């Protein structure tokens, strides 16, 4: 008899299968994610996301691309057609912290009922506008509050907090990632 | 007679107005962006984005919140209901590089016809899975190619590349941002 173990919506058999595969064949852990952005007007642009490489092959599970738009609010000369790019960073970080806690909690048998995350980032426009070389263009700091409900004791609550160290987007935001940019004529 | 100058979709009068205001009253440059994420199941969650603070006041131009979903592909135990969080980072970075070039090019009188950006990020799952402490959870490197068309010479093309230094998301990804995370019971 095979019993499927689903904790927090995570299939534990598949999760341990992934870990076994990666342990047996480390190159299966290599992923390459991709996106294409098309500029429309001012701060308004559209990104399409579809294919990626991972687990030793090109993924073929997405038949249609995802479309993600960015714009700016009027005070930043846009028309509010979509969130702006630094708001997407907050989305990516909040969602990644949530998902990371959920997967790793599942692997440890900690059952969650809910996670609600609020996130704020402080930014000084002097950096983007190039008005003050001592002000960075990006966020000066980000604050995150995660409210968790579920069947866990205080030690496990502390463990949930510590699991955020595995979050890819936390790492990307907290630590330097080398970014190579080539600008050329089409 | 008032002539409106729009370059690359950017209203130059409003852009110089913003710069004048910020120069006269530096606190107007302070922005705080926000998001709320609600975990649904596994790696699937939903972010709402609406209010922010900037230019000396709470913004009131958005009547409805933006909704942004994240999920994972099947190989990462999701159901492809939305892009994943590290794909959103690529979107945010590509769109921000584009918008930054567009605004700063407009301010310099460089007229663009098109910007097409492709972006790739390499990630080793050993980090997220906690299988190897020497592998970071996030991207090991990101590569961006921006193809520009428009009325510019080679010196201006080089200038376009250099303008990416003002990109908030480039700064966030390339340099450390302090992230404070509080996990508590709801």
């Amino acid at each position: 008899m095979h019993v499927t173990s689903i904790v927090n919506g995570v299939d534990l058999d598949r999760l341990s299968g992934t870990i076994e595969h990666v342990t047996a064949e480390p190159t299966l852990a290599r992923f390459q994610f991709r996106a294409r952005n098309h500029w429309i007007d001012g701060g308004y642009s559209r990104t399409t996301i579809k294919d990626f490489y991972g687990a030793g092959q090109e993924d073929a599970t997405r038949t249609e691309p995802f479309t993600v738009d960015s714009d700016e609010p009027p005070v930043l000369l846009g028309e509010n057609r979509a969130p702006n790019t630094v708001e997407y960073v907050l989305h990516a970080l909040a969602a990644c912290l949530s998902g990371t806690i959920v997967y790793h909690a599942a692997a440890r048998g900690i059952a969650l009922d809910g996670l609600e995350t609020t996130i704020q980032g402080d930014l000084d426009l002097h950096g983007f506008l190039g008005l003050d070389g001592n002000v960075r263009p990006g966020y000066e700091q980000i604050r995150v509050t995660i409210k968790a409900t579920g069947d866990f004791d205080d030690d496990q609550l502390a463990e949930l907090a510590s699991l955020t160290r595995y979050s890819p987007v936390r790492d990307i935001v907290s630590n330097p990632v080398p970014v190579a940019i080539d600008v050329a004529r089409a």
Side-chain angles (χ1 to χ4, degrees), chain A residues 37-47 69-70 81:
Chain A
N37 180 269
H38 169 76
W39 170 55
I40 300 170
D41 205 11
Y44 186 37
S45 71
R46 177 162 296 166
T47 296
D69 286 2
S70 274
R81 285 162 290 199

Side-chain angles (χ1 to χ4, degrees), chain A residues 6-182:
Chain A
I6 308 277
V7 179
N8 305 333
V10 178
D11 184 327
L12 290 184
D13 290 346
R14 291 181 60 199
L15 183 56
S16 27
T18 301
I19 291 170
E20 281 167 24
H21 290 145
V22 165
T23 305
E25 180 48 65
T27 61
L28 293 178
R30 301 212 57 80
F31 278 67
Q32 181 182 90
F33 294 103
R34 305 160 188 152
R36 304 180 70 89
N37 180 269
H38 169 76
W39 170 55
I40 300 170
D41 205 11
Y44 186 37
S45 71
R46 177 162 296 166
T47 296
T48 50
I49 295 168
K50 185 171 181 281
D51 57 298
F52 65 89
Y53 177 89
Q57 59 189 340
E58 286 291 317
D59 181 75
T61 60
R62 295 167 169 174
T63 50
E64 294 294 326
F66 297 114
T67 300
V68 186
D69 286 2
S70 274
D71 193 17
E72 295 289 347
V75 68
L76 296 172
L77 314 189
E79 297 179 25
N80 265 340
R81 285 162 290 199
N84 76 10
T85 62
V86 291
E87 290 175 317
Y88 276 110
V89 170
L90 298 183
H91 156 67
L93 178 53
C96 189
L97 292 169
S98 167
T100 300
I101 289 175
V102 163
Y103 277 50
H104 280 273
R108 285 158 179 77
I110 305 176
L112 299 167
D113 289 330
L115 285 178
E116 301 289 338
T117 304
T118 56
I119 183 166
Q120 305 175 331
D122 300 327
L123 189 148
D124 184 328
L125 213 56
H126 283 89
F128 170 74
L129 292 173
L131 297 176
D132 184 342
N134 293 319
V135 176
R136 63 183 301 173
Y139 284 126
E140 297 173 305
Q141 59 266 325
I142 293 173
R143 290 171 302 282
V144 188
T145 302
I146 303 174
K147 297 289 192 186
T149 50
D151 181 22
F152 49 79
D153 61 26
D154 286 351
D155 287 347
Q156 289 171 318
L157 178 65
E159 197 172 0
L160 294 180
S162 135
L163 295 175
T164 60
R165 70 186 183 278
Y166 297 118
S167 161
V169 181
R170 179 185 183 171
D171 174 35
I172 292 166
V173 171
S174 302
N175 300 303
V177 177
V179 178
I181 302 172
D182 181 53

